[in-house]
Amino acid sequence: MIPNQPDRDTMRRHWVWRIGITLGLGFGILAFAEPTNLVSNPHFLPNPGAPSLPLDFTMSGNVSYGELGDLTREYSGRGVRFDSSLQPPQPHLPRGRVSTRVTGVSALHHRWFRLRIRALAQPHFAVKQDELFLQVEFFGTSPANSLDQIKSRIFPQLRREREDLKDPSANQRLGQATWRTYEMAFRTPFPEVDSLILSAGFSLGIAQQPNAEFWINEFRLEPIPTPTHFRPRHHPVRSDDLSNLLHLGGRWYYHPSPEARVAPAQFDHTNAHRLLYLSDRLEAPFADNTSAWLRDGYYDARGALVKQARFLPENVVIQFTPRHMIVHSHNLPNHPTAFFPDLWRTLDGNPNRIQEILSTWHLPLDPTPSTLRVAMTPGNQNQALPGGPIGVAVNGVVFFNPYDLERNQDAIWRLDRCCGHPSPRSQYHYHKYPVCIKSPWSDDGNQHSPLIGFAFDGFPIYGPYESKGELAKNSTPNPLNEFNVHHDADRGWHYHVTPGAFPHIIGGYWGTADPNNHRTRRPRDRRGRTRR
Ligand SMILES: [Zn+2]
Ligand SMILES: [Zn+2]
């Protein structure tokens, strides 16, 4: 169901970029401006000569390749599956890996990289000794001998998330296992490292039940452009870290590029990695989060059924005014979704399609708590939160309160594997922690979670963790109130999502929702003009 175009286009961009690198080196003007994926086939396009195998990847062991999920029910794309089921005739426990090579690394004059995969663990995927891992092997100009290697086990993150993010009311057929990001940042150990072999793998599989696979549908390697991103996240930001940055308002800063010292008029896919948010760290929450696919089977902005998928680089565009951050969004999810309408009743038989909806959201830069604030009563009977959008995630998709049309019914069980679904207005939205938001980070629960979006009062919404191993919903030193809000010195007042616990995202507006977000809107284009 995922068409080939995304992959081809990604590859085309990759080659354009490669050529750019070559030219840049030729003229001695290479500057690392863009976080660009160095993996040649990030979405597992098939090998034209051997379509049962992915191009540019090698696979071994209990690993298979193809479309992931049930094509009538989900847009999951192609990828690889690790099968951890015990298979008695085999002499060893299940194991395997998928690998790809990246060359020309030394020409980048860059030492820091991040390997990132998007993956879904089925409910019974199981290994001993945490043997699910990401691995990087380093080679010089001779590809024969590895200079060094590093390996990072990602099973502890998976295990923790199964426990911390479990939601008994989630849909058992589709909604329970969710797509997640796993990542490893690393520095090449020697300047002469010229090529890398990147792998994801597992061993010591011990699953005894069906649904024991681990699916991977995206594989990325990115040079990390800003050294401030590499400071350990718990390291407090020093004032000299900010001296090179341009203040945009509120907690937002622009990290100037060598070419442009002045803040740009808008932030989009070309420069979102330079838009930094200050808490106890500097984050670039919109980086790599501003583009999406308008997939076949969706409606476009005019309500026409999309027959041929199109890439929308400018799904999200951000501007600043003295008082607001303005988010222009097409509201297209940039992650896997279920297929809607849900003809097969995989979820609740949702009859709506996902539509491209042009939206403009005003987020106050300096929010203050409101003295008139009211939290939701059960069922939102007091209508403390409106129906429809109440905030926006950093990928431009809106948040709703926990209830759908039938007020008393929690909408959580109706959601797809990325915790969203379309409304009767065809607006895709989240009712709970959207674990699939594609982001420059993966939240491994080892420190306070990163920012995932904003409520319409301008207060930030963070992921589920308060500190290492502690969920904000369980925090006793700094408990959340009924709004899902608490305060600390680094972040000020902020919301947390609360997986498996009402109100899931926010319990009411802690500040005053900006009135621009709730009046009838005419769609606007990215320059803020009203569209016809
Ligand atoms: Zn809903
Ligand atoms: Zn917190």
Side-chain angles (χ1 to χ4, degrees):
M1 297 299 262
I2 296 263
N4 290 343
Q5 288 79 8
D7 307 302
R8 279 199 217 105
D9 260 301
T10 311
M11 293 192 67
R12 202 176 301 129
R13 283 199 307 280
H14 173 75
W15 285 111
V16 166
W17 181 86
R18 276 268 170 101
I19 292 161
I21 286 286
T22 312
L23 292 175
L25 286 174
F27 292 105
I29 54 166
L30 176 66
F32 235 99
E34 303 302 317
T36 307
N37 187 14
L38 302 175
V39 170
S40 56
N41 184 17
H43 299 285
F44 293 94
L45 187 77
N47 186 334
S52 61
L53 295 170
L55 185 66
D56 296 344
F57 280 93
T58 57
M59 301 178 347
S60 62
N62 303 89
V63 180
S64 56
Y65 167 69
E67 297 279 353
L68 302 173
D70 179 339
L71 295 187
T72 62
R73 299 168 193 218
E74 298 179 79
Y75 290 99
S76 295
R78 293 190 192 83
V80 293
R81 333 162 98 98
F82 295 170
D83 187 354
S84 68
S85 313
L86 288 170
Q87 285 142 9
Q90 291 192 3
H92 57 77
L93 294 175
R95 65 185 182 209
R97 67 168 62 206
V98 59
S99 305
T100 190
R101 181 182 282 269
V102 173
T103 55
V105 173
S106 59
L108 302 176
H109 303 298
H110 213 82
R111 302 285 297 275
W112 276 99
F113 297 88
R114 175 171 46 225
L115 170 61
R116 175 151 60 112
I117 63 169
R118 172 145 57 203
L120 179 147
Q122 289 189 323
H124 299 123
F125 176 82
V127 292
K128 278 201 288 197
Q129 296 171 23
D130 291 339
E131 277 291 328
L132 173 69
F133 56 86
L134 300 176
Q135 186 180 41
V136 183
E137 293 161 85
F138 303 98
F139 298 86
T141 44
S142 153
N145 299 313
S146 159
L147 299 172
D148 201 352
Q149 56 138 311
I150 53 167
K151 177 172 169 178
S152 170
R153 287 182 176 79
I154 57 177
F155 198 74
Q157 179 185 347
L158 196 165
R159 188 156 20 80
R160 186 181 305 147
E161 284 167 358
R162 276 181 174 164
E163 180 59 31
D164 290 348
L165 309 184
K166 78 172 168 232
D167 188 340
S169 57
N171 188 285
Q172 298 298 304
R173 279 169 296 180
L174 203 56
Q176 198 180 37
T178 50
W179 289 94
R180 296 287 301 179
T181 300
Y182 301 88
E183 69 177 27
M184 170 168 72
F186 63 91
R187 183 174 188 266
T188 54
F190 313 102
E192 55 269 29
V193 166
D194 190 59
S195 68
L196 310 172
I197 292 182
L198 313 174
S199 302
F202 78 110
S203 64
L204 304 179
I206 48 166
Q208 311 218 26
Q209 298 179 66
N211 292 323
E213 292 179 344
F214 184 79
W215 301 350
I216 304 174
N217 74 355
E218 190 173 340
F219 217 96
R220 304 179 67 87
L221 181 74
E222 291 147 340
I224 312 183
T226 314
T228 49
H229 290 182
F230 293 100
R231 233 181 318 92
R233 282 172 170 155
H234 54 268
H235 187 299
V237 175
R238 298 184 312 261
S239 56
D240 55 317
D241 293 336
L242 301 178
S243 62
N244 293 325
L245 306 179
L246 236 75
H247 188 220
L248 298 169
R251 292 171 171 270
W252 293 101
Y253 290 83
Y254 169 59
H255 177 235
S257 70
E259 307 85 48
R261 297 287 312 169
V262 179
Q266 66 176 40
F267 290 91
D268 55 28
H269 64 106
T270 64
N271 55 9
H273 60 287
R274 297 188 171 278
L275 176 57
L276 305 181
Y277 186 82
L278 176 67
S279 57
D280 63 331
R281 66 194 89 148
L282 284 162
E283 306 177 52
F286 288 97
D288 201 28
N289 243 339
T290 55
S291 302
W293 282 86
L294 182 57
R295 295 182 172 129
D296 50 325
Y298 289 5
Y299 288 135
D300 69 13
R302 289 170 306 172
L305 187 64
V306 177
K307 300 270 175 50
Q308 176 96 51
R310 304 199 287 278
F311 187 65
L312 253 75
E314 296 187 340
N315 186 45
V316 178
V317 171
I318 298 134
Q319 295 177 313
F320 287 86
T321 69
R323 288 184 49 227
H324 291 101
M325 178 170 77
I326 298 180
V327 178
H328 303 281
S329 170
H330 295 237
N331 204 63
L332 290 171
N334 59 347
H335 53 61
T337 65
F339 186 83
F340 296 104
D342 178 20
L343 302 171
W344 300 91
R345 296 197 69 84
T346 302
L347 303 168
D348 61 343
N350 188 326
N352 310 303
R353 279 182 200 275
I354 299 174
Q355 185 171 2
E356 174 188 19
I357 296 180
L358 303 173
S359 316
T360 298
W361 308 117
H362 288 68
L363 304 173
L365 288 172
D366 295 299
T368 48
S370 164
T371 50
L372 303 173
R373 59 188 179 249
V374 182
M376 280 189 293
T377 49
N380 194 25
Q381 294 294 345
N382 62 350
Q383 301 194 40
L385 286 172
I390 55 170
V392 60
V394 292
N395 62 352
V397 172
V398 289
F399 296 117
F400 278 24
N401 75 43
Y403 301 100
D404 263 332
L405 280 181
E406 307 90 51
R407 271 253 175 71
N408 293 317
Q409 207 174 15
D410 195 311
I412 301 311
W413 68 277
R414 304 160 180 273
L415 306 175
D416 69 18
R417 289 201 210 257
C418 282
C419 309
H421 67 178
S423 73
R425 283 190 60 225
S426 304
Q427 189 171 32
Y428 191 81
H429 59 276
Y430 307 120
H431 290 278
K432 67 171 189 174
Y433 175 36
V435 290
C436 295
I437 294 184
K438 183 175 175 170
S439 64
W441 28 259
S442 90
D443 188 359
D444 60 8
N446 282 325
Q447 62 273 313
H448 195 282
S449 285
L451 180 76
I452 64 161
F454 288 88
F456 284 162
D457 59 10
F459 284 111
I461 302 174
Y462 283 84
Y465 291 100
E466 176 59 16
S467 58
K468 184 176 171 67
E470 184 188 43
L471 288 162
K473 67 176 180 179
N474 300 330
S475 175
T476 45
N478 190 4
L480 296 175
N481 62 21
E482 59 196 329
F483 294 79
N484 264 4
V485 158
H486 67 186
H487 184 279
D488 70 42
D490 290 323
R491 296 166 195 82
W493 294 106
H494 59 284
Y495 299 99
H496 276 275
V497 295
T498 49
F502 180 85
H504 302 285
I505 301 176
I506 72 173
Y509 288 126
W510 186 245
T512 306
D514 194 278
N516 287 298
N517 297 325
H518 287 133
R519 64 168 184 237
T520 311
R521 291 174 312 276
R522 299 268 297 283
R524 284 168 187 274
D525 70 11
R526 66 189 183 84
R527 289 182 188 83
R529 294 180 305 228
T530 303
R531 277 192 196 213
R532 171 40 247 141

